[in-house]
Amino acid sequence: MNYQTYKPHKDLETIVKFYWTMEVPFDPKNQKQKIVPDGCVEMTFNFGDKIKRYTSETDFILHPNAMVMGQRTKSYYILPVGNVDTFAICFYPIGFANFVKTPLENLVDRETPISELFGQTEAYELEQQMIQAMNTQKRIDIIETFFLKIFNEKNTVSNIVKSTVDSLLKA
């Protein structure tokens, strides 16, 4: 297994906790792995074979290749069906809210394809760029350009202010 973490751009470090990569060659003896909640939202890109998330002892769903894993409220089990080759962005608990209009509570305990959050065309282009990137640094550059573009749009700042006020009012 090869697991690495990387620091985000300084303009994103209060939102993005870190990037991580994992490569694991297939082993037919692999067992289910327990994933415990950590409070974070993750966007993942799977360049390897599919990964099962068990919904019961025997039932499972297959993860989308480009998705956002919302905050988890309970542990769950996964099992790769082949080689693992993943790049992911781990956001601080509220960090991902800066990039989408969808309320974070709609993402809890779900794997949401990025096309549902960013639109078909933009999601497809991003996923293709990530697939074609030759190395991890290039993938980091691509994803940071994507996030910084969203972050610097005028309406993003308005959405941040609105979501902060809404959260304060709910509390």
Side-chain angles (χ1 to χ4, degrees):
M1 176 175 82
N2 182 12
Y3 173 78
Q4 301 285 323
T5 61
Y6 305 86
K7 292 184 180 203
H9 185 278
K10 63 179 177 62
D11 291 343
L12 295 170
E13 64 188 4
T14 60
I15 296 167
V16 174
K17 193 172 186 178
F18 58 88
Y19 305 111
W20 61 266
T21 60
M22 184 180 309
E23 294 176 352
V24 183
F26 179 67
D27 182 345
K29 296 181 221 153
N30 280 346
Q31 301 286 318
K32 293 179 189 175
Q33 297 173 344
K34 186 175 187 176
I35 307 297
V36 295
D38 64 1
C40 297
V41 173
E42 290 188 328
M43 177 186 272
T44 63
F45 294 89
N46 179 24
F47 309 113
D49 296 309
K50 291 289 190 180
I51 297 174
K52 297 176 181 179
R53 179 178 61 87
Y54 283 84
T55 56
S56 72
E57 190 62 36
T58 56
D59 298 324
F60 62 88
I61 62 166
L62 293 174
H63 280 175
N65 287 335
M67 67 175 184
V68 171
M69 296 169 52
Q71 288 181 322
R72 301 296 179 177
T73 61
K74 55 190 172 261
S75 297
Y76 61 99
Y77 290 88
I78 63 169
L79 180 65
V81 298
N83 294 318
V84 174
D85 183 2
T86 302
F87 174 88
I89 303 94
C90 180
F91 294 90
Y92 284 106
I94 196 87
F96 189 67
N98 294 292
F99 302 107
V100 293
K101 293 177 183 161
T102 303
L104 292 184
E105 57 262 22
N106 293 356
L107 305 177
V108 171
D109 290 324
R110 286 188 61 210
E111 293 86 1
T112 304
I114 65 170
S115 58
E116 289 182 24
L117 300 169
F118 300 108
Q120 291 283 21
T121 302
E122 194 146 11
Y124 177 79
E125 289 173 6
L126 176 61
E127 186 174 2
Q128 290 308 302
Q129 288 177 18
M130 296 295 282
I131 289 168
Q132 294 167 11
M134 300 306 285
N135 57 47
T136 300
Q137 186 55 56
K138 183 65 177 157
R139 288 181 174 145
I140 291 170
D141 293 343
I142 291 165
I143 204 69
E144 287 185 338
T145 298
F146 179 79
F147 289 140
L148 288 169
K149 178 183 166 218
I150 294 171
F151 197 62
N152 289 320
E153 291 174 355
K154 265 187 173 176
N155 63 342
T156 300
V157 175
S158 297
N159 288 338
I160 293 169
V161 171
K162 182 185 179 317
S163 68
T164 302
V165 170
D166 288 348
S167 295
L168 289 171
L169 290 174
K170 280 183 183 178

